Amino acid sequence: NWRGKPFDFHPWQAFTNWCVYGWKVKSNGWRRYFKVYIKVPRKNGKTEYLSGIGIYGHRFDPYEKDAQVFWFATTKSQATVGFRKQKTMTSLLCKKSEKYKSKIRVLEHRITDRDGNGFVTYLGRDSKSEDGHNPFYGMCDEYHAHPNNDMMNVIESGFGARKSPLMWVITTAGTNPVAPCAKFETTCKQILDGVIPNPGIFPLIFDVDDGEDWTSIDAWKRANPSLGVSISLDYLNREYNKALAEGSTAVSNFQTKNLNIWLRAHKTWIPDDVWMRASVSFEETELNGKLCFGGLDLATRSDLASYVLIFPPEDEDGTPHVITRVFCPEETAVKRTRLDGVPYLQWAEEGFLILTPGNVTDYNYIQKAILQDCATFDVHSIAYDPYNSSQLVIDLQDEGVMMEQFSQRMSVISAPTKELERLAMQEKINHGGNPILRWAISNVSIKTDQDENIKIDKGKSKDKVDSAVALVMALGQWAQKYGEIQSYGKSIFTLL
């Protein structure tokens, strides 16, 4: 029982404090991080830690006076869990310090200042009013239970008037791999892996490694950073044996809550380190006038649209090169950068993403880019998904571009999908390290049928995969047409 005892930070908690509060931007003195994501199993002191953070944010953070701290969840009853722990800690602190007590009023549903307008409270989706707040700290405990980001958006939209606000998110894993928490965790892991840059988000994730034996004690130790302090190995062993005795539901609960394993979670198709080993920087001008095949994935007009060109090697020992073009409505890029932490705007600034005005992709930009590439390279043909065909395809055909339907049936698209995987594993495809294609590859989830055919599963992939799909179609188009253009007496799938 830790009640009434001093709160000594565990090493992982102290590390978080050092990073979040000690790392500042030299130019303005503001904190580097504006959002903290921590995934840690139950019994590791996560809510108690967040309660202490809430006390600091309310009264001691030097950036704001009259600070407003909001615990939030999908319902008020869920939001009160963390709030009540902060309320208990605040009451105990008042007993220890008369000075602190003289400045604080602890009420049933709110902690308020006696010497100002600051307060701590809680919000749920069922609160009478969710808007009109001016939060300094947002406190989200058990993010995995949120079916959407409505409450997160309410709090973040109120941060505008604050100098250096903080969003704190602490959670265990859950059982919905397409929930907002799981999707945001994917972004966090991509930040940690260097796939996407976002210096304002601090991720700290404790779980079991992919492919690791979750029944091993080493896995238990890796997933539980407070082992030996607030949680014991004996406790984990008892919970494990209890789960085995009670059946699959209890086992699933042990995996998610004690080891932070997302059930039915996304498995990496091509590991990022493998994908990047195939990358060698090159200039597009090196490919001027050379034969290539395209793949076009228009997807939805409200987000990314991609087309990819793949250039066959000029000899049997060569490596194909890939050029990636991606388009996005400007309003979507701003929204996704702000809300999801995906650096659309940075990609646009660096020239990897072409922004079109408004909230839908202007296909005239895509048409112009394709025609320009046709004038620069020897574009034999471009494959497109007939399901997403549009007037753009007709307009390009009228301009003399060979546009060909490419079926998305698993029996058709399986071969180029497998070939892309093989080329990447053997470091035999040079994609130039394009960050959006890299991100798309890391998002891919694969669907398999009883005949071991595979395809990219758009519905279950972690995020946008348009560029990866376009590359698969370009590779398939090359395979279908290769014999017409150039042949070493072998098909593309055996040649490479």
Side-chain angles (χ1 to χ4, degrees), residues 360-418:
V360 295
T361 301
D362 186 342
Y363 282 175
N364 289 326
Y365 281 72
I366 302 178
Q367 180 177 350
K368 182 179 179 181
I370 290 177
L371 292 177
Q372 178 61 51
D373 283 340
C374 288
T376 304
F377 312 113
D378 180 12
V379 181
H380 175 269
S381 54
I382 297 177
Y384 69 93
D385 179 359
Y387 179 78
N388 287 321
S389 62
S390 69
Q391 184 63 38
L392 171 63
V393 173
I394 297 173
D395 292 342
L396 287 169
Q397 289 173 329
D398 290 343
E399 292 285 349
V401 181
M402 185 183 295
M403 304 294 296
E404 296 196 351
Q405 293 187 4
F406 197 94
S407 172
Q408 304 298 295
R409 292 197 313 271
M410 192 173 286
S411 59
V412 175
I413 209 165
S414 177
T417 306
K418 288 181 177 179

Coordinates of all heavy atoms in Angstrom, one line a residue, residues 360-418:
V360 N -10.2 18.8 -51.7 CA -10.2 17.6 -52.6 C -9.0 17.8 -53.5 O -8.6 18.9 -53.9 CB -11.5 17.4 -53.3 CG1 -12.7 17.2 -52.4 CG2 -11.8 18.6 -54.2
T361 N -8.5 16.6 -53.9 CA -7.3 16.6 -54.8 C -7.8 17.1 -56.2 O -8.7 16.6 -56.8 CB -6.7 15.2 -55.0 OG1 -6.3 14.8 -53.7 CG2 -5.5 15.2 -55.9
D362 N -7.0 18.1 -56.7 CA -7.3 18.6 -58.1 C -6.5 17.7 -59.1 O -5.3 17.7 -59.1 CB -6.8 20.0 -58.2 CG -7.1 20.6 -59.5 OD1 -7.4 19.9 -60.5 OD2 -7.1 21.9 -59.6
Y363 N -7.3 16.8 -59.8 CA -6.7 15.9 -60.7 C -5.9 16.5 -61.8 O -5.1 15.9 -62.5 CB -7.7 14.9 -61.2 CG -8.1 13.8 -60.3 CD1 -9.2 12.9 -60.6 CD2 -7.5 13.7 -59.0 CE1 -9.6 12.0 -59.7 CE2 -7.9 12.7 -58.1 CZ -8.9 11.8 -58.5 OH -9.3 10.9 -57.6
N364 N -6.1 17.8 -62.1 CA -5.4 18.5 -63.1 C -3.9 18.5 -62.8 O -3.0 18.5 -63.7 CB -5.9 19.9 -63.3 CG -7.2 20.0 -64.0 OD1 -7.6 19.2 -64.8 ND2 -8.1 21.0 -63.6
Y365 N -3.6 18.6 -61.5 CA -2.2 18.5 -61.0 C -1.6 17.2 -61.4 O -0.4 17.1 -61.8 CB -2.1 18.8 -59.5 CG -2.2 20.2 -59.1 CD1 -3.4 20.9 -59.2 CD2 -1.1 21.0 -58.7 CE1 -3.6 22.2 -58.8 CE2 -1.2 22.3 -58.3 CZ -2.5 22.9 -58.4 OH -2.6 24.2 -58.0
I366 N -2.3 16.1 -61.2 CA -1.8 14.8 -61.5 C -1.6 14.6 -63.0 O -0.6 14.1 -63.4 CB -2.8 13.7 -60.9 CG1 -2.9 13.9 -59.4 CG2 -2.2 12.3 -61.2 CD1 -3.9 12.9 -58.8
Q367 N -2.6 15.1 -63.7 CA -2.5 15.0 -65.2 C -1.2 15.7 -65.7 O -0.5 15.2 -66.5 CB -3.7 15.5 -65.8 CG -3.7 15.5 -67.4 CD -5.0 16.0 -68.0 OE1 -6.0 16.2 -67.3 NE2 -5.0 16.1 -69.3
K368 N -1.0 16.9 -65.2 CA 0.1 17.7 -65.6 C 1.4 17.0 -65.3 O 2.3 17.0 -66.1 CB 0.0 19.1 -64.9 CG 1.2 20.0 -65.3 CD 1.0 21.4 -64.6 CE 2.2 22.3 -65.0 NZ 2.1 23.6 -64.3
A369 N 1.5 16.4 -64.1 CA 2.7 15.8 -63.6 C 3.0 14.5 -64.5 O 4.1 14.3 -64.9 CB 2.6 15.4 -62.2
I370 N 1.9 13.8 -64.8 CA 2.1 12.6 -65.6 C 2.6 12.9 -67.0 O 3.5 12.3 -67.6 CB 0.8 11.7 -65.7 CG1 0.6 11.1 -64.3 CG2 0.9 10.6 -66.7 CD1 -0.7 10.3 -64.2
L371 N 1.9 14.0 -67.6 CA 2.3 14.4 -69.0 C 3.8 14.9 -69.0 O 4.5 14.6 -70.0 CB 1.4 15.5 -69.5 CG -0.1 15.0 -69.8 CD1 -1.0 16.2 -70.2 CD2 -0.1 13.9 -70.8
Q372 N 4.2 15.6 -67.9 CA 5.5 16.1 -67.9 C 6.5 14.9 -67.8 O 7.6 14.9 -68.5 CB 5.7 16.9 -66.6 CG 7.1 17.5 -66.4 CD 7.6 18.3 -67.6 OE1 6.9 19.3 -68.0 NE2 8.8 18.0 -68.1
D373 N 6.2 13.9 -67.0 CA 7.0 12.7 -66.9 C 7.1 11.9 -68.2 O 8.1 11.4 -68.6 CB 6.5 11.8 -65.8 CG 6.9 12.3 -64.4 OD1 7.9 13.1 -64.3 OD2 6.3 11.9 -63.4
C374 N 6.0 11.9 -68.9 CA 5.9 11.2 -70.3 C 6.8 11.9 -71.3 O 7.4 11.3 -72.1 CB 4.5 11.1 -70.8 SG 3.5 10.0 -69.9
A375 N 7.0 13.2 -71.1 CA 7.9 14.0 -72.0 C 9.3 13.8 -71.6 O 10.2 14.0 -72.4 CB 7.5 15.5 -71.9
T376 N 9.6 13.4 -70.3 CA 10.9 13.3 -69.8 C 11.5 11.9 -69.9 O 12.6 11.7 -70.2 CB 11.0 13.8 -68.3 OG1 10.5 15.1 -68.2 CG2 12.4 13.7 -67.8
F377 N 10.6 10.9 -69.6 CA 11.0 9.5 -69.6 C 10.3 8.8 -70.7 O 9.3 9.3 -71.3 CB 10.7 8.9 -68.2 CG 11.1 9.7 -67.0 CD1 10.2 10.2 -66.2 CD2 12.5 9.9 -66.8 CE1 10.6 11.0 -65.1 CE2 12.9 10.6 -65.7 CZ 11.9 11.2 -64.8
D378 N 10.7 7.5 -71.0 CA 10.0 6.7 -71.9 C 9.0 5.9 -71.2 O 9.2 4.7 -70.9 CB 11.1 5.8 -72.6 CG 10.5 4.9 -73.7 OD1 9.3 5.1 -74.0 OD2 11.1 4.0 -74.1
V379 N 7.8 6.5 -70.9 CA 6.8 5.8 -70.2 C 6.0 4.9 -71.1 O 5.3 5.4 -72.0 CB 5.8 6.8 -69.5 CG1 4.7 6.1 -68.7 CG2 6.6 7.8 -68.6
H380 N 6.2 3.6 -71.0 CA 5.5 2.7 -71.9 C 4.0 2.6 -71.6 O 3.2 2.8 -72.5 CB 6.1 1.3 -71.7 CG 5.4 0.2 -72.5 ND1 4.3 -0.5 -72.0 CD2 5.5 -0.2 -73.7 CE1 3.8 -1.3 -72.9 NE2 4.6 -1.2 -74.0
S381 N 3.6 2.5 -70.3 CA 2.2 2.4 -70.0 C 2.0 2.6 -68.5 O 3.0 2.4 -67.7 CB 1.6 1.0 -70.4 OG 2.3 0.0 -69.9
I382 N 0.8 2.9 -68.1 CA 0.5 3.2 -66.7 C -0.7 2.3 -66.3 O -1.8 2.4 -66.9 CB 0.2 4.7 -66.4 CG1 1.4 5.5 -66.7 CG2 -0.2 4.9 -64.9 CD1 1.2 7.0 -66.5
A383 N -0.6 1.5 -65.3 CA -1.6 0.7 -64.7 C -2.5 1.5 -63.8 O -2.0 2.3 -63.0 CB -1.1 -0.6 -64.1
Y384 N -3.8 1.2 -63.8 CA -4.7 1.9 -62.8 C -5.7 0.9 -62.4 O -6.1 -0.1 -63.0 CB -5.3 3.1 -63.4 CG -6.3 2.9 -64.5 CD1 -7.7 2.8 -64.3 CD2 -5.9 2.7 -65.9 CE1 -8.6 2.5 -65.3 CE2 -6.8 2.5 -66.9 CZ -8.2 2.4 -66.6 OH -9.1 2.1 -67.6
D385 N -6.3 1.2 -61.2 CA -7.3 0.4 -60.6 C -8.7 0.8 -61.2 O -9.1 2.0 -61.0 CB -7.4 0.6 -59.1 CG -8.4 -0.2 -58.4 OD1 -9.2 -0.9 -59.0 OD2 -8.5 0.0 -57.1
P386 N -9.3 -0.1 -62.0 CA -10.6 0.3 -62.6 C -11.7 0.7 -61.6 O -12.6 1.5 -62.0 CB -11.0 -1.0 -63.3 CG -10.2 -2.1 -62.7 CD -9.0 -1.5 -62.2
Y387 N -11.6 0.3 -60.4 CA -12.6 0.6 -59.4 C -12.5 2.1 -59.1 O -13.5 2.8 -58.8 CB -12.3 -0.2 -58.1 CG -13.3 0.2 -57.0 CD1 -14.6 -0.4 -57.0 CD2 -12.9 1.0 -55.9 CE1 -15.5 -0.1 -56.0 CE2 -13.8 1.3 -54.9 CZ -15.1 0.8 -54.9 OH -16.0 1.1 -53.9
N388 N -11.3 2.7 -59.1 CA -11.1 4.1 -58.8 C -10.9 4.9 -60.1 O -10.3 6.0 -60.0 CB -9.9 4.3 -57.8 CG -10.3 3.9 -56.4 OD1 -11.4 4.1 -56.0 ND2 -9.4 3.2 -55.8
S389 N -11.3 4.4 -61.2 CA -11.0 5.2 -62.5 C -11.9 6.4 -62.5 O -12.9 6.5 -61.8 CB -11.4 4.3 -63.7 OG -12.8 3.9 -63.7
S390 N -11.4 7.4 -63.3 CA -12.1 8.7 -63.3 C -11.9 9.3 -64.7 O -11.3 8.8 -65.6 CB -11.6 9.6 -62.2 OG -10.2 10.0 -62.5
Q391 N -12.4 10.5 -64.8 CA -12.2 11.3 -66.0 C -10.7 11.5 -66.3 O -10.3 11.7 -67.4 CB -12.9 12.7 -65.9 CG -12.9 13.5 -67.1 CD -13.6 12.9 -68.3 OE1 -14.7 12.3 -68.1 NE2 -13.0 13.0 -69.5
L392 N -9.9 11.5 -65.2 CA -8.5 11.7 -65.4 C -7.9 10.6 -66.4 O -7.1 10.9 -67.2 CB -7.8 11.6 -64.1 CG -6.2 11.6 -64.1 CD1 -5.7 12.9 -64.7 CD2 -5.7 11.4 -62.7
V393 N -8.3 9.4 -66.2 CA -7.8 8.3 -67.1 C -8.2 8.6 -68.5 O -7.4 8.4 -69.4 CB -8.4 7.0 -66.6 CG1 -8.0 5.9 -67.6 CG2 -7.9 6.6 -65.2
I394 N -9.5 9.0 -68.8 CA -9.9 9.3 -70.1 C -9.1 10.5 -70.7 O -8.7 10.4 -71.8 CB -11.4 9.6 -70.1 CG1 -12.2 8.4 -69.6 CG2 -11.9 10.1 -71.5 CD1 -13.7 8.7 -69.4
D395 N -8.9 11.5 -69.9 CA -8.1 12.7 -70.4 C -6.7 12.3 -70.7 O -6.1 12.8 -71.7 CB -8.1 13.8 -69.3 CG -9.5 14.4 -69.1 OD1 -10.4 14.2 -70.0 OD2 -9.7 15.0 -68.0
L396 N -6.1 11.4 -69.9 CA -4.7 11.0 -70.2 C -4.7 10.2 -71.5 O -3.7 10.3 -72.3 CB -4.1 10.2 -69.0 CG -3.8 11.0 -67.8 CD1 -3.5 10.1 -66.6 CD2 -2.6 11.9 -68.1
Q397 N -5.6 9.3 -71.7 CA -5.7 8.5 -72.9 C -5.9 9.4 -74.1 O -5.2 9.2 -75.1 CB -6.9 7.5 -72.8 CG -6.6 6.4 -71.8 CD -7.8 5.5 -71.6 OE1 -9.0 6.0 -71.7 NE2 -7.6 4.2 -71.3
D398 N -6.7 10.5 -74.0 CA -6.8 11.4 -75.0 C -5.5 12.2 -75.4 O -5.3 12.6 -76.5 CB -7.9 12.5 -74.7 CG -9.3 11.9 -74.7 OD1 -9.5 10.8 -75.3 OD2 -10.2 12.5 -74.1
E399 N -4.6 12.2 -74.4 CA -3.3 12.9 -74.6 C -2.3 11.9 -75.1 O -1.1 12.3 -75.3 CB -2.8 13.5 -73.3 CG -3.6 14.7 -72.8 CD -3.4 15.9 -73.5 OE1 -2.4 16.0 -74.3 OE2 -4.1 16.9 -73.3
G400 N -2.7 10.7 -75.3 CA -1.8 9.7 -75.9 C -1.1 8.8 -74.9 O -0.2 8.0 -75.3
V401 N -1.4 8.9 -73.6 CA -0.8 8.0 -72.6 C -1.5 6.7 -72.6 O -2.7 6.6 -72.6 CB -0.9 8.7 -71.2 CG1 -0.2 7.8 -70.2 CG2 -0.3 10.1 -71.2
M402 N -0.7 5.6 -72.6 CA -1.3 4.3 -72.6 C -1.7 3.9 -71.2 O -0.8 3.7 -70.3 CB -0.3 3.2 -73.1 CG -0.9 1.8 -73.2 SD 0.2 0.5 -73.8 CE 0.6 1.1 -75.4
M403 N -3.0 4.0 -70.9 CA -3.5 3.7 -69.6 C -4.2 2.3 -69.6 O -5.1 2.1 -70.5 CB -4.5 4.7 -69.1 CG -4.0 6.2 -69.1 SD -2.7 6.4 -67.9 CE -3.6 6.1 -66.4
E404 N -3.8 1.4 -68.7 CA -4.4 0.1 -68.8 C -4.9 -0.4 -67.4 O -4.3 -0.2 -66.4 CB -3.3 -0.9 -69.2 CG -2.8 -0.7 -70.6 CD -2.1 -1.9 -71.2 OE1 -1.8 -2.8 -70.5 OE2 -1.8 -1.8 -72.4
Q405 N -6.1 -0.9 -67.4 CA -6.7 -1.4 -66.2 C -5.8 -2.5 -65.6 O -5.3 -3.4 -66.3 CB -8.1 -2.0 -66.5 CG -9.1 -0.9 -66.9 CD -10.5 -1.5 -67.0 OE1 -10.8 -2.7 -66.7 NE2 -11.5 -0.7 -67.4
F406 N -5.7 -2.5 -64.3 CA -5.0 -3.6 -63.6 C -5.9 -4.1 -62.5 O -6.2 -3.4 -61.5 CB -3.7 -3.0 -63.0 CG -2.7 -4.1 -62.6 CD1 -1.7 -4.5 -63.5 CD2 -2.8 -4.8 -61.4 CE1 -0.8 -5.5 -63.2 CE2 -1.9 -5.8 -61.1 CZ -0.9 -6.1 -62.0
S407 N -6.4 -5.3 -62.6 CA -7.3 -5.9 -61.7 C -6.7 -6.0 -60.3 O -5.5 -6.4 -60.2 CB -7.7 -7.3 -62.2 OG -8.5 -8.0 -61.2
Q408 N -7.5 -5.8 -59.3 CA -7.1 -5.9 -57.9 C -7.4 -7.2 -57.3 O -7.2 -7.5 -56.1 CB -7.7 -4.8 -57.1 CG -7.4 -3.4 -57.6 CD -6.0 -3.0 -57.6 OE1 -5.3 -2.9 -56.5 NE2 -5.4 -2.8 -58.8
R409 N -7.9 -8.2 -58.2 CA -8.2 -9.5 -57.7 C -6.9 -10.1 -57.2 O -5.8 -10.0 -57.7 CB -8.7 -10.4 -58.8 CG -10.1 -10.0 -59.3 CD -10.8 -11.2 -60.1 NE -9.9 -11.7 -61.1 CZ -9.7 -11.3 -62.3 NH1 -10.5 -10.3 -62.7 NH2 -8.9 -11.9 -63.2
M410 N -7.0 -10.9 -56.1 CA -5.9 -11.4 -55.4 C -5.1 -12.4 -56.3 O -3.8 -12.4 -56.3 CB -6.3 -12.2 -54.2 CG -5.2 -12.6 -53.2 SD -5.7 -13.3 -51.7 CE -6.3 -11.8 -50.8
S411 N -5.7 -13.1 -57.2 CA -5.0 -14.0 -58.1 C -4.2 -13.3 -59.1 O -3.2 -13.8 -59.6 CB -6.0 -14.9 -58.9 OG -6.9 -14.1 -59.6
V412 N -4.5 -12.0 -59.4 CA -3.7 -11.2 -60.3 C -2.6 -10.4 -59.7 O -1.5 -10.4 -60.1 CB -4.7 -10.2 -61.1 CG1 -3.9 -9.3 -62.0 CG2 -5.7 -11.0 -61.9
I413 N -3.0 -9.8 -58.5 CA -2.0 -8.9 -57.9 C -1.0 -9.6 -56.9 O -0.1 -9.0 -56.5 CB -2.8 -7.8 -57.1 CG1 -2.0 -6.5 -57.1 CG2 -3.2 -8.2 -55.8 CD1 -2.8 -5.3 -56.7
S414 N -1.2 -10.9 -56.7 CA -0.4 -11.6 -55.8 C 1.1 -11.6 -56.2 O 2.0 -11.4 -55.5 CB -0.9 -13.0 -55.5 OG -0.1 -13.7 -54.7
A415 N 1.3 -12.0 -57.5 CA 2.6 -12.2 -58.0 C 3.5 -10.9 -57.9 O 4.6 -10.9 -57.4 CB 2.6 -12.6 -59.5
P416 N 3.0 -9.7 -58.3 CA 3.8 -8.5 -58.2 C 4.0 -8.1 -56.7 O 5.0 -7.5 -56.3 CB 3.1 -7.4 -58.9 CG 1.7 -7.9 -59.1 CD 1.8 -9.4 -59.2
T417 N 3.0 -8.4 -55.8 CA 3.2 -8.1 -54.4 C 4.3 -9.0 -53.8 O 5.1 -8.5 -53.1 CB 1.8 -8.4 -53.7 OG1 0.8 -7.7 -54.3 CG2 1.9 -8.0 -52.2
K418 N 4.3 -10.3 -54.1 CA 5.3 -11.1 -53.6 C 6.7 -10.7 -54.2 O 7.7 -10.8 -53.5 CB 5.0 -12.6 -54.0 CG 3.9 -13.2 -53.2 CD 3.7 -14.7 -53.6 CE 2.6 -15.3 -52.8 NZ 2.3 -16.7 -53.2

